[in-house]
Amino acid sequence: MPADLDFPVIFLLPSHLGSEELQELVEQIPTLTYDINEAEVILGKISRKERALFELRKRKLVTEEVEKDERTPPASPPRKRIRLSATPALGSSDLDSDTCSEGEIQRRLVGPVSVPKVEPTVKVAKLSWFTDSLSAGEVLPLDDKYAIYRGRKAMQPPPAPASVQTIPTKSTSNLLTRAHEDSHPRTPPSSQKRYSSQGSSQKPGSTYASHPVTKTPKRPALLRQTTSEHDLDTHLPPIPPCLHTTYSCQRSTPANPPNQDFISLLLQIRLARTLTGDKIGVRAYSSAIATVAAYPFPFQTQNEVARLPGCGQKIALLYQEYKTSGTLKEVEEYESDPKLQVLKLFYDIWGVAETTAREFYDKGWRDIDDVIEYGWDGLTRVQQIGVKYYDEFLLKIPRREVEEIGGVILKEANKIAEGFGMVIVGGYRRGKKESGDVDVVLSHRDEEATRGFVERIVVGLERRGYITHTLLLSTANTERGQEPVAWKGDSRVAGSGFDTLDKALVVWQDPNYEGGGRNTNPHRRVDIIISPWKTAGCAVMGWTSGTTFQRDLRRYCKKEKGLKFDSSGVRSRKDGAWVDLESDPVTGEPAPDMLTAERRVFTGVGLEWREPEERCTN
């Protein structure tokens, strides 16, 4: 197992890695760090020194190449790593043991005994070094076969602050600096903005000094433990069998787990990573959050956290901080950082992803008014609608209203063709009291009834005044004969994971209101998905489950079953043939209803049935 190998601290470059490959590596590397300045080895799918130097420059890590005659290791014995009894899955492997003596109040960090000397060097290595080490069952030497570049980290004082700043930032804003370095460098904007939302003149994009900030290389922090915590560690509840797997689709994840307050803080850190483009950080935190959410006991000690898959020292240290202070410094920095708050403002525009939010910021825009005044004509139609109804789309939808919207859709469907069934999916089916949007799956036993049906129901609801705008109308499933999406082989570049069922993403407003004048009912986001009956169970399963559950379901089907799961059906990865999991295995009769079909999909892929309320992965 990779966690048994004594790897150095590794930073993973996301360039040229597909989403599934990236996720697998994040889970396999036991000493993964999110901070490139902490890394001893920088691992990536690269093969040339020029590319390695580019990656270092992009992340503002200044190094000086080590000449060949300087590479001979010292004669002193190698440093030893102190490990926890449980193997961490993420973060550094440099952990204190839990062997404190009687009467010891707290572990103390005493000189070189507790903190090994940091060698300020870094190696950029080919990805094959890590994978070959796993295959060999030992950490292979980083010789010229694997090492692309060896450099000594520069030890420089930070540069003087820039003379012009658009938005004041705290010098201690470690979250933004770290996340920014882990993702992409800023691109100077091409135009200047004449005013800011704060009312001061400014030059767009000059928030940061033009000089790179060089940090002194540091070893990751060590876990500390009191005697009482040590005593608790000897009476920890056993890890539930379902948490020995990395697939969240194999375990129960309730809506309100025992450690929800801690999870809420982790979600905010993940959001900050999302806004700054740190893909590895986002996936690592997603895995950790899914594990913590599935843990059925309130945490008592940091070692209880560190032993869980997907957590390790990084999350254990965060829990230690949370237990001490009731909050996390990174979250406080995120909430007080002006740039991240502006990015969050743009990210909340429907139709604007994190990359576009950063583009808006780099143009010098700081609020919605800036987007309207300086960028309206450059927005897509969907983004314009997202800006127009910005405040209304942020309003939550109570369950009663979700049910009313679903009832109108089902009534209209059966008015067009009698016999349609419907399941309200998404957060509503997982038990949320309020939803951000409404998702419904419609299906009919007669395959001809679902062919092209999405266009007819949209027209009908528009005529009745319920649909005010259509954001997306897809008939991809009808166009390919309502067959499950084709399997094109492992060499195909990974897509977004968005299924290809017929669907309409629309803006909805109840046309019924009292009094005269303008309709004041809020505009809502509604997704209408149409599935043929033979794969309706896959559609309901995919659109009901939480994001991480869906991601792990696809990964589980690929790795464990040799199948490709999609909300439009399941195919074999051997020959691309459709696999019918929803018909009766004895009689071949179709499922009697959509919920029975969903249960049969769980059985067909070898998973234990999970109620929708148990699939609440964030």
Side-chain angles (χ1 to χ4, degrees), residues 407-443:
V408 171
I409 294 172
L410 182 59
K411 182 177 180 180
E412 181 66 24
N414 282 301
K415 180 180 175 182
I416 297 171
E418 187 66 34
F420 267 93
M422 183 192 73
V423 178
I424 303 176
V425 289
Y428 169 87
R429 189 162 178 244
R430 296 196 301 273
K432 284 188 175 182
K433 294 180 179 179
E434 297 179 316
S435 302
D437 60 4
V438 180
D439 303 317
V440 302
V441 176
L442 288 164
S443 190

Side-chain angles (χ1 to χ4, degrees), residues 264-302:
S264 297
L265 296 174
L266 296 180
L267 286 170
Q268 292 189 66
I269 297 177
R270 186 182 69 176
L271 175 59
R273 301 285 180 175
T274 298
L275 296 175
T276 50
D278 179 6
K279 295 180 180 179
I280 292 177
V282 170
R283 287 192 171 270
Y285 274 102
S286 295
S287 296
I289 289 167
T291 297
V292 174
Y295 191 65
F297 311 107
F299 287 139
Q300 300 180 71
T301 72
Q302 61 265 26

